[in-house]
Amino acid sequence: MTRRPFALRSSLFALLFPLGLAAQQPGVDVQAYHFRIDLPDTGTTIRGWTSVFFRPTRAWDDTLRLDLVGMTVERVYDLETLQRVRFTYDGAVIRIHAPRPGARGGVVVQYRGSPQDGLRFGTTVRGRRAVFADNYPQRARYWLPVVDHPSDKARVLWSVRAPGGWQVVTNAPRRCGAPSTRDSLCLESQPLPTYVMVLGATCMTVSRHAPLVSGADTIPIEVWAYPEDSVYADEGPFRRATEIAEALQRLVGPFPYARLAHVQSGTRNGAMENASAIFYNEGAWADRRLGEGTVRHETAHQWFGDAVTPRTFQHVWLSEGFASYFDGVAGAALDGDSVLTRIMAGNREIWLASSVRDRPMVDSVEPDPEAVLDANDYQKGAWVLHMLRREVGDSTFFRGIRAYYQRYRDSSVTSEQFQRVMEGTVGPGTRLSWFFDQWLRQLGCPQLDVRWEQQAGGMLQLYVRQAQPAAWGRFTVPQVPVRIVLAGGQVLERTFRLEARYGSQVAGFTLPAGAEVQEVVVDPYGALLMTAEVHR
Ligand SMILES: [Zn+2]
């Protein structure tokens, strides 16, 4: 997701229905949903028939619980026999008693209502009626009966009846069978978390860019815009939509979905990485302020966040940190390394100026998913990957990234699982817990106080103190770069090892005979997330 600068975040629904409280539902693994939605010609009342195909797990207690907030549930029936199934509904959770689960079984929930959130009807900036979903982080439940937790990914099929003249965009690119004819039902999407399941419908112009070739597959790349904004989109921010996806595919692995659509929409965010149908804020698009960086970030999410999904919102840096970093990596692949350098400098600046430096990136408590999304997940997350790459080297880093994607594509992960893949890629017996613990669980970053002194024999001594607040802990950095500027202009590049064991340490450098030190710069190229005050 790209957040809107200065956007007001509505807390109304958070007060009514605390969003962070829903946990993964034990005993149930949803395999697939078929959402059939009738959109009204006027008003905001939808009708829905959702087929839920699920499997019981060991904790199955004979009750299927589906999140659905503020709708009217008309009936629930068995998908195969079409017999009614007993249920209760308290306005937030449907409890369905003793449904028959199984590979061919499931239930259909028939419901209607005017969604309070999640699916929003409105008028576009171009003055036309429209409806757009905005499910992040747990808003699907306001209009879809689902297990609304990122750990329970499921395939999804959409059947949408919309007013005449509207185009409908969803996660699935093709039409399919009717909900009651189970045998003809094809479930088209890869398994998705509910927060990237999406529907948008209004009058739109669809343009087709050069497709992405992925092995034997040809993946359409489309831009869905309001008619007034279509030419701008094709020639501006999405001019290189195919090249961006190609660059990421080369670096990470095959594109995960059957199509990629970039969609102008009413999302309340700057942009939202809905799987295979990315939604961009209509205002920035119409005002011609949409940048290619947003396109790179959201495209990167298709691999990181959508295909490989954080198991809980505690690990959301696996989505936002990766998308922020691969925005820069894709930019560097297209336009040279200076793009990444510039983006990482910006990330450093934003994080250092943020108020979340004294919060850990991965908290031990399941957080409110709205409150947790901050500069730690985006900017510091990108820096964790950048420093990991520096630590293990380019080729090992990208081998690890590819192995991680290959192994966890279409499932959900924790930070520990990413760590283990990287350790395995570096080599047997490698432990990277020192790196991940200090960057994911410790607070802040190193704040070095460095005093230098040239000794009588010519040797340069650095007295290095880790001056960050004690609550942040100490850090190990195997290679801290140092630039030594000598009188006469000669420049020496050296490194020293920063050790978490010591609050203060001394690093000594032998210099050429007769050299006189003029200036010492720690981390001169901004390769690390740290600050250093250097004085004589
Ligand atoms: Zn994002």
Side-chain angles (χ1 to χ4, degrees):
M1 179 185 353
T2 304
R3 305 191 80 164
R4 292 173 75 179
F6 314 115
L8 291 172
R9 315 286 294 183
S10 164
S11 60
L12 176 63
F13 294 108
L15 291 174
L16 288 172
F17 304 104
L19 286 170
L21 300 182
Q24 180 188 7
Q25 303 206 6
V28 172
D29 178 13
V30 177
Q31 304 293 298
Y33 299 101
H34 179 177
F35 300 119
R36 187 183 143 200
I37 301 278
D38 280 7
L39 300 172
D41 288 314
T42 58
T44 60
T45 299
I46 62 167
R47 290 180 63 87
W49 294 260
T50 295
S51 306
V52 183
F53 303 80
F54 70 99
R55 276 198 202 128
T57 65
R58 265 183 305 183
W60 172 242
D61 65 0
D62 229 27
T63 301
L64 172 64
R65 296 172 194 79
L66 298 173
D67 301 300
L68 182 69
V69 175
M71 303 298 272
T72 300
V73 179
E74 294 173 328
R75 66 183 190 125
V76 178
Y77 51 96
D78 184 281
L79 190 66
E80 196 157 5
T81 65
L82 303 184
Q83 299 293 312
R84 282 178 185 252
V85 179
R86 281 190 308 127
F87 70 95
T88 60
Y89 181 50
D90 62 5
V93 178
I94 313 170
R95 290 176 175 77
I96 301 165
H97 303 291
R100 292 188 312 155
R104 293 169 65 85
V107 295
V108 181
V109 177
Q110 179 182 324
Y111 64 102
R112 65 182 159 76
S114 175
Q116 299 168 25
D117 201 348
L119 184 72
R120 303 195 303 167
F121 289 84
T123 304
T124 67
V125 287
R126 299 301 182 188
R128 295 186 194 89
R129 182 171 153 82
V131 60
F132 290 107
D134 226 351
N135 284 355
Y136 192 89
Q138 292 180 314
R139 291 185 155 74
R141 65 185 61 180
Y142 289 96
W143 63 291
L144 299 171
V146 288
V147 174
D148 200 8
H149 193 278
S151 61
D152 195 353
K153 297 175 78 167
R155 293 176 187 273
V156 54
L157 171 65
W158 293 93
S159 305
V160 181
R161 185 178 298 160
W166 283 18
Q167 275 75 39
V168 176
V169 64
T170 65
N171 309 103
R174 293 182 304 274
R175 286 178 179 281
C176 236
S180 56
T181 54
R182 194 192 58 246
D183 292 338
S184 68
L185 190 68
C186 47
L187 298 163
E188 296 184 89
S189 82
Q190 298 304 111
L192 306 177
T194 51
Y195 75 80
V196 297
M197 294 177 183
V198 82
L199 156 65
T202 186
C203 172
M204 283 189 270
T205 300
V206 181
S207 63
R208 287 173 178 80
H209 288 233
L212 178 68
V213 176
S214 178
D217 298 328
T218 300
I219 294 159
I221 306 272
E222 300 166 354
V223 176
W224 294 53
Y226 306 156
E228 297 84 348
D229 300 321
S230 177
V231 171
Y232 153 73
D234 290 333
E235 294 176 354
F238 300 104
R239 186 175 57 86
R240 298 196 293 179
T242 306
E243 287 91 329
I244 291 167
E246 280 171 346
L248 287 162
Q249 186 170 254
R250 271 197 305 275
L251 291 161
V252 181
F255 184 77
Y257 304 116
R259 174 214 57 193
L260 177 58
H262 298 280
V263 183
Q264 187 173 17
S265 80
T267 177
R268 62 193 195 133
N269 300 298
M272 179 62 212
E273 66 268 21
N274 303 305
S276 87
I278 299 168
F279 276 21
Y280 297 82
N281 184 275
E282 57 173 15
W285 188 314
D287 294 347
R288 311 298 190 242
R289 286 185 287 108
L290 189 57
E292 197 181 73
T294 305
V295 180
R296 293 194 303 258
H297 177 108
E298 300 302 330
T299 304
H301 267 307
Q302 302 296 306
W303 285 263
F304 305 116
D306 296 3
V308 182
T309 303
R311 187 163 301 159
T312 71
F313 290 102
Q314 289 164 296
H315 300 281
V316 72
W317 83 278
L318 295 172
S319 174
E320 294 304 348
F322 275 64
S324 300
Y325 190 55
F326 279 84
D327 159 12
V329 170
L334 292 176
D335 295 325
D337 286 348
S338 63
V339 177
L340 180 62
T341 307
R342 181 172 48 74
I343 287 173
M344 293 312 293
N347 284 334
R348 168 212 304 279
E349 211 171 298
I350 291 169
W351 183 77
L352 286 175
S354 78
S355 59
V356 298
R357 288 178 305 150
D358 53 1
R359 299 222 307 250
M361 192 147 79
V362 177
D363 218 326
S364 55
V365 185
E366 170 85 10
D368 172 350
E370 293 255 50
V372 76
L373 204 58
D374 58 32
N376 281 330
D377 302 301
Y378 287 84
Q379 285 82 15
K380 189 179 187 182
W383 266 101
V384 170
L385 293 174
H386 196 48
M387 291 187 291
L388 180 65
R389 177 179 174 181
R390 184 174 184 271
E391 188 53 43
V392 302
D394 266 22
S395 70
T396 304
F397 175 78
F398 283 106
R399 265 194 297 127
I401 291 289
R402 295 176 72 85
Y404 168 71
Y405 174 66
Q406 193 178 15
R407 176 148 182 203
Y408 292 110
R409 176 178 172 176
D410 298 330
S411 63
S412 60
V413 283
T414 62
S415 305
E416 292 76 13
Q417 287 169 315
F418 173 58
Q419 178 183 330
R420 281 197 284 278
V421 171
M422 291 311 295
E423 287 173 341
T425 307
V426 175
T430 304
R431 299 287 296 155
L432 290 170
S433 35
W434 66 270
F435 177 90
F436 284 95
D437 286 350
Q438 73 183 13
W439 290 114
L440 300 188
R441 292 182 179 78
Q442 269 179 233
L443 321 178
C445 71
Q447 289 185 338
L448 303 187
D449 181 82
V450 180
R451 186 171 65 81
W452 64 267
E453 183 179 281
Q454 189 169 10
Q455 299 192 319
M459 182 111 172
L460 172 69
Q461 298 272 42
L462 300 189
Y463 300 91
V464 180
R465 188 167 68 84
Q466 298 204 27
Q468 62 270 17
W472 291 10
R474 295 200 201 113
F475 292 79
T476 292
V477 180
Q479 295 203 321
V480 180
V482 180
R483 177 196 288 154
I484 303 162
V485 183
L486 303 179
Q490 193 187 352
V491 171
L492 307 175
E493 306 280 358
R494 298 284 186 271
T495 64
F496 70 89
R497 181 181 172 87
L498 186 72
E499 282 277 1
R501 278 181 292 170
Y502 311 120
S504 297
Q505 60 185 92
V506 183
F509 302 96
T510 309
L511 301 176
E516 187 195 328
V517 178
Q518 268 196 336
E519 193 191 5
V520 173
V521 186
V522 173
D523 190 18
Y525 304 111
L528 299 164
L529 188 60
M530 63 157 57
T531 61
E533 290 260 355
V534 183
H535 49 94
R536 217 173 165 149

